Amino acid sequence: RRADQVPAEGPGDGPAAREWPVRPGDPVTASHWWDSDRVGAVTDGLEPKSSADSSIPRFTWWDHRGSQEWLCYDFGKQRSVSEVAVYWFDDTGRGSCRVPKSWRVLWRDGAAWKPVEATGAFGVARDQYNRVAFKPVQTSALRIEVQLLPDVSAGVLEMKVN
């Protein structure tokens, strides 16, 4: 599987924030995902109660372990973006998904993917959005690249782009 399209709405956070909703035609794709999951779950607008929330759809890279994976949000047209927030899935005690070892954000510049100039850390905390702000870029797509911990996988419950 490679693509899924799910509409979502949301106001964003902060006084000047704007959340770009996923519209039909704005595909979210991934390097891999488990058959029981939905890649579109990351932009469905359903707010997680915790990183282990099993009441909402999720996206995981299961059964890949210890590998580098990616998740791409294609806007379909150029937009100015300056922040990504990721709510990691972690099923400690039930399964083998944990927050990742590390991650980064890349933006599409023509046919090339370039890392953003982050102004903060790329967090991997459980039970919260891990926000990273960066120097604004004009792009039609963002990609998060994730390094999974050895012997476990990882997943995302929700992703927001401002």
Side-chain angles (χ1 to χ4, degrees):
R1 294 183 186 180
R2 298 294 295 189
D4 190 23
Q5 300 171 4
V6 178
E9 299 292 336
D13 293 321
R18 175 167 180 187
E19 187 173 315
W20 294 104
V22 176
R23 301 176 325 268
D26 286 352
V28 178
T29 56
S31 54
H32 166 80
W33 72 87
W34 184 242
D35 289 340
S36 302
D37 295 337
R38 290 184 20 230
V39 71
V42 303
T43 55
D44 64 10
L46 298 175
E47 290 296 324
K49 296 173 189 153
S50 71
S51 288
D53 191 345
S54 61
S55 70
I56 62 174
R58 68 174 179 243
F59 161 83
T60 68
W61 286 284
W62 181 257
D63 58 348
H64 290 195
R65 301 172 187 211
S67 56
Q68 185 178 56
E69 304 292 340
W70 56 265
L71 184 64
C72 179
Y73 180 3
D74 192 327
F75 310 130
K77 65 179 182 177
Q78 292 287 315
R79 295 186 177 163
S80 177
V81 294
S82 61
E83 183 183 74
V84 171
V86 179
Y87 204 111
W88 300 110
F89 174 69
D90 186 312
D91 62 357
T92 299
R94 290 191 337 248
S96 294
C97 284
R98 304 292 180 271
V99 296
K101 177 180 180 182
S102 62
W103 65 293
R104 68 182 187 150
V105 176
L106 301 126
W107 63 284
R108 187 165 51 204
D109 182 15
W113 289 100
K114 297 182 177 179
V116 298
E117 293 180 34
T119 59
F122 290 89
V124 291
R126 291 174 39 109
D127 304 327
Q128 68 183 42
Y129 279 98
N130 291 269
R131 297 181 184 279
V132 64
F134 46 88
K135 181 179 172 186
V137 295
Q138 288 286 327
T139 187
S140 62
L142 286 180
R143 175 183 280 188
I144 64 169
E145 284 186 349
V146 177
Q147 180 60 52
L148 307 181
L149 288 165
D151 302 321
V152 293
S153 194
V156 174
L157 290 171
E158 195 68 21
M159 181 173 81
K160 297 179 180 182
V161 176
N162 295 318

